[in-house]
Amino acid sequence: MQLHLHVGHGKTGSSFLQSCWALNRSELWRHARLHYPVAEGDQRARAGAFSSGNGVLLDRAIQASHRPRRLRRFWDDLLRQAPGSAPGSVLFSAERWARHLPMHPEALLRVADAGGVGTIRIWLLVRDPLDHALSVYGLAVTPADQPVFLFLNVGETHVPYWHEGADWERWPSPCVPFGGAGCSADKSRRRQRACLEWVDQQLGPLLARFAGATVLACADHGDCWGEDDLWEHGISHPATLTVPLLLRVRGEPVQNQTSVRRSRRERLKALFN
């Protein structure tokens, strides 16, 4: 038997999927011999509202994973719900598992072993990160002036320097640790620049949404492209320690504020001189 775990992520249609599964159990069984156990949230699905999934059932089993009798009863009750003979697969769903399920791997394995599970499959749905960030921001910020902290990690400018739709393959990378015949400073420079230009276009709507906010853009490291016969990062070198830093405070670039402060100092000096 296989155990399928739908773990979210948030804002990827989890509630809609959970309601569909709850309302179409017979179809899941008929077409895939997939059993979606009944949970309290089914009442909401039958009423046309969003369902929170059936993951609470597995959560309870995980909490009782050190009690073999409870686990046997859990699986017995579960299989009795199935429309026919023993199912080939059982599906549980909980959006919160994207964060919390990895905290209990040993307990989860004990539950699976008690039910004779041979394979555990994880269903993780993801979404374009920028669209995801804007969606979460639009849902969470109430009232509109409520402070919000948003962190976005951009990976395209990292080795191997590739972005969606690029006209080159992701691998092999033109920049690898310790160098090699495939390393090329010129190719690394061109590809990283193209990635940065692509990222710049993608970030436009997000930066526009936070036009009046404080924004910090930086990098955690640079890369060596053959300087002193060194390649990539993870080493102490001016090329890896030099990173961009762009700061906008409440919508105003820091460089403009700096120039204003300098002009004031110049006026004070002129006054005292």
Side-chain angles (χ1 to χ4, degrees):
M1 183 170 64
Q2 293 186 354
L3 176 61
H4 294 259
L5 305 178
H6 169 239
V7 300
H9 230 279
K11 301 295 291 179
T12 58
S14 297
S15 297
F16 173 78
L17 290 173
Q18 291 161 350
S19 295
C20 287
W21 293 331
L23 295 173
N24 295 277
R25 281 192 175 83
S26 59
E27 295 300 309
L28 285 173
W29 176 265
R30 185 162 68 91
H31 291 286
R33 287 184 61 80
L34 181 62
H35 177 42
Y36 186 70
V38 177
E40 295 88 338
D42 289 7
Q43 296 178 354
R44 293 179 53 81
R46 285 192 292 269
F50 283 141
S51 167
S52 57
N54 62 358
V56 63
L57 302 175
L58 185 59
D59 285 337
R60 293 168 185 166
I62 289 175
Q63 293 172 2
S65 63
H66 59 289
R67 304 173 66 177
R69 291 184 180 178
R70 288 278 298 274
L71 292 183
R72 284 196 296 269
R73 188 161 59 249
F74 165 75
W75 284 108
D76 289 343
D77 294 343
L78 198 73
L79 298 180
R80 274 196 294 269
Q81 291 182 14
S85 58
S89 302
V90 178
L91 169 63
F92 290 100
S93 174
E95 186 175 284
R96 62 185 176 280
W97 284 346
R99 297 182 178 180
H100 298 299
L101 188 62
M103 297 170 59
H104 309 285
E106 298 85 1
L108 175 61
L109 291 177
R110 287 195 295 269
V111 174
D113 289 341
V117 173
T119 304
I120 299 177
R121 298 189 181 278
I122 305 294
W123 299 7
L124 173 64
L125 304 183
V126 295
R127 180 176 175 180
D128 177 89
L130 293 176
D131 181 53
H132 194 178
L134 288 172
S135 178
V136 172
Y137 172 72
L139 178 68
V141 179
T142 52
D145 59 350
Q146 177 178 328
V148 60
F149 175 80
L150 172 64
F151 175 84
L152 178 67
N153 183 49
V154 176
E156 284 78 3
T157 55
H158 194 281
V159 290
Y161 314 131
W162 185 87
H163 65 82
E164 182 181 351
D167 59 2
W168 65 87
E169 296 296 326
R170 185 192 298 264
W171 302 103
S173 171
C175 176
V176 298
F178 310 113
C183 286
S184 168
D186 181 62
K187 188 178 293 185
S188 296
R189 187 175 297 105
R190 285 188 287 108
R191 290 187 178 181
Q192 191 184 58
R193 182 183 182 88
C195 287
L196 182 60
E197 292 173 348
W198 183 86
V199 167
D200 187 58
Q201 293 178 347
Q202 304 303 312
L203 288 177
L206 185 66
L207 292 174
R209 182 69 65 90
F210 289 89
T214 296
V215 177
L216 174 65
C218 62
D220 56 343
H221 61 76
D223 282 328
C224 282
W225 292 336
E227 297 89 343
D228 299 316
D229 295 324
L230 298 173
W231 287 89
E232 222 208 54
H233 49 269
I235 49 180
S236 180
H237 188 277
T240 64
L241 300 176
T242 303
V243 297
L245 176 62
L246 303 175
L247 180 60
R248 190 170 65 189
V249 178
R250 295 189 177 91
E252 293 294 329
V254 166
Q255 60 182 10
N256 288 352
Q257 293 182 355
T258 302
S259 64
V260 170
R261 286 197 298 268
R262 286 177 178 173
S263 63
R264 288 175 179 172
R265 285 198 296 266
E266 290 174 356
R267 289 198 299 269
L268 287 173
K269 287 182 179 179
L271 177 62
F272 287 102
N273 289 336

